Amino acid sequence: MEVKFDHVSLIINEGTPLEKTILNDVSFEIKNPGIYAFLGASNSGKTAVGDLINALMAPTKGSVKVGKFINDGRRIRNVNKLRFETGYVFRNPYDMFFNKTVKEEIEFSIKYFKYKMDKMAIRTSDALKLVGLDDSYLKLNPKILTLVDAKKVALACALVCNPSIIILDEFTNGLNNKDKSELLRLLRMLKNKYKKTIILLSKDTNFCYQIVDQVYIMNLTKLVASGKKELLEDSDFISRIGLEVPLIVKFVDECRSKGHEINYYSNILDLLKGVYRDVF
C-alpha cells in the first residue's frame, strides 16, 4: 500500500503563544512492501509521521496519501477502513490497553473491524504465538505485564487483523538482545512472506542498520536525508544530528583507521567472518 507525504507540515496550537512546529515541509513516498525506518533524536518529528499515516492527526499544510485515503485536514470517509489497514503500536504500549484481559484486548480489534469473527479464538491465539507468547497470557491483565510482554501484546493486537502497513514507534526500547533477534526474524517474515510495509519510528540505529530497506533521517522537524542504510555509515553526519553510530560501523571504522580494509556488514556473524577473512 502506497504512502505519500506531499509537503506536509504539522503545527499545534497555531496562532497562540504555545504554537509549536512538529513537522516542517516533509515529502517522501513509499510504494512497495519493505522495512522503512524514520530515525531521529527526540522532538525530530518521527512520531508525527505515524500519527498522520494513521489519521490520528491532520496536517496543517500538505497532504498524506495512504492507499486510496487522503489525510489533508478534511473529513476522511471511512477512516476506520484506513486504520484497519494500518496497525499502529504506540511508544508506550500501556496507552493502548483498556480491557481487563489480554484475550479481550486482542479480540477487540476483531470485533471492532468485524474481521473474521468466526475464527476469533484461532486468530487471537495465533497472534500471540506470532509475537512469542502463548495462551497462558490470555487471562492476564495487560496493564500488569512487564514492558517487554506489553509490547508483544500490543503488537499482537496490531497484527491480528492482518494490516497492510505496520507502524512501530520506538518498539525496541527495553528489549534485550534475544527479544531483538526474535523481532528481526518476525519483521523479515512479515516483509518477505506476507509482503507487509513496516515503518519503524526509532532512535535505535543498531537495530535498524540490520534490517531496513530504506532510511529517512529526521532532524528538528525536517526530513534531512533519505536513502539506503549506507546513510548510517556516515559517522560524522549521524553523530551531528544526535543519533548513535551503529556499533558495527564504529568497529569497521576503527579497523580501517588501523589499516585493515574491512567491509561493512549488517550483522555480527557476517562481520566476524569478514574480520577472519580480511584480517587473519
Side-chain angles (χ1 to χ4, degrees):
M1 178 177 282
E2 179 189 17
V3 176
K4 182 177 181 180
F5 276 50
D6 187 10
H7 296 285
V8 171
S9 294
L10 177 62
I11 303 170
I12 59 174
N13 301 316
E14 192 172 14
T16 76
L18 299 177
E19 180 175 310
K20 182 179 181 181
T21 297
I22 307 298
L23 286 181
N24 187 356
D25 196 27
V26 171
S27 295
F28 65 85
E29 189 170 6
I30 294 172
K31 289 186 175 181
N32 301 311
I35 300 175
Y36 303 86
F38 288 80
L39 290 163
S42 298
N43 299 314
S44 62
K46 59 186 183 294
T47 295
V49 170
D51 291 345
L52 289 164
I53 292 172
N54 203 238
L56 297 178
M57 302 186 77
T60 308
K61 297 178 182 177
S63 65
V64 178
K65 185 175 186 291
V66 183
K68 65 181 181 181
F69 300 96
I70 304 292
N71 182 9
D72 60 1
R74 293 175 290 185
R75 179 179 176 271
I76 301 174
R77 289 190 61 187
N78 201 4
V79 69
N80 282 339
K81 177 64 175 173
L82 166 62
R83 291 172 181 156
F84 173 78
E85 295 286 357
T86 55
Y88 192 3
V89 180
F90 297 165
R91 180 181 311 179
N92 182 352
Y94 302 107
D95 288 344
M96 299 176 62
F97 301 147
F98 55 90
N99 287 292
K100 294 181 179 179
T101 66
V102 168
K103 179 176 182 290
E104 291 174 317
E105 204 64 60
I106 299 175
E107 286 180 348
F108 176 80
S109 294
I110 298 174
K111 294 175 181 177
Y112 185 80
F113 293 116
K114 298 180 173 59
Y115 179 72
K116 296 188 177 181
M117 294 179 64
D118 57 324
K119 297 181 179 179
M120 188 182 305
I122 295 173
R123 295 198 64 82
T124 299
S125 180
D126 286 350
L128 273 180
K129 291 174 184 174
L130 199 59
V131 299
L133 302 177
D134 58 39
D135 288 351
S136 65
Y137 283 81
L138 290 172
K139 294 182 180 179
L140 299 181
N141 184 335
K143 289 284 191 179
I144 65 169
L145 295 175
T146 65
L147 176 62
V148 173
D149 285 345
K151 283 176 176 282
K152 291 179 179 180
V153 169
L155 180 55
C157 292
L159 294 177
V160 73
C161 288
N162 194 28
S164 299
I165 298 171
I166 300 158
I167 306 168
L168 306 180
D169 189 4
E170 299 288 10
F171 192 86
T172 59
N173 284 3
L175 302 188
N176 60 31
N177 289 333
K178 179 176 180 292
D179 293 323
K180 289 184 180 182
S181 295
E182 291 173 353
L183 180 61
L184 284 171
R185 287 194 292 271
L186 173 59
L187 296 184
R188 287 190 179 113
M189 180 185 70
L190 291 171
K191 168 195 163 183
N192 296 325
K193 184 175 181 180
Y194 297 105
K195 308 303 179 187
K196 302 297 184 185
T197 296
I198 299 160
I199 296 174
L200 306 175
L201 314 173
S202 183
K203 292 190 287 284
D204 192 343
T205 53
N206 287 298
F207 181 85
C208 292
Y209 186 70
Q210 298 180 68
I211 197 171
V212 295
D213 298 303
Q214 183 84 1
V215 173
Y216 298 88
I217 305 294
M218 306 291 297
N219 187 44
L220 300 176
T221 75
K222 294 184 178 182
L223 177 61
V224 295
S226 64
K228 300 299 182 183
K229 69 175 186 179
E230 284 74 20
L231 273 177
L232 301 179
E233 295 166 7
D234 186 342
S235 299
D236 290 339
F237 170 62
I238 295 302
S239 298
R240 194 164 61 248
I241 62 172
L243 288 172
E244 180 185 2
V245 177
L247 293 176
I248 289 176
V249 173
K250 283 184 180 179
F251 181 86
V252 172
D253 286 348
E254 183 66 22
C255 288
R256 288 183 173 184
S257 73
K258 298 182 183 302
H260 302 296
E261 286 302 315
I262 301 174
N263 293 323
Y264 292 106
Y265 295 90
S266 295
N267 60 72
I268 295 295
L269 289 179
D270 288 342
L271 175 62
L272 290 174
K273 292 176 185 177
V275 170
Y276 182 81
R277 180 177 60 249
D278 299 333
V279 177
F280 301 104

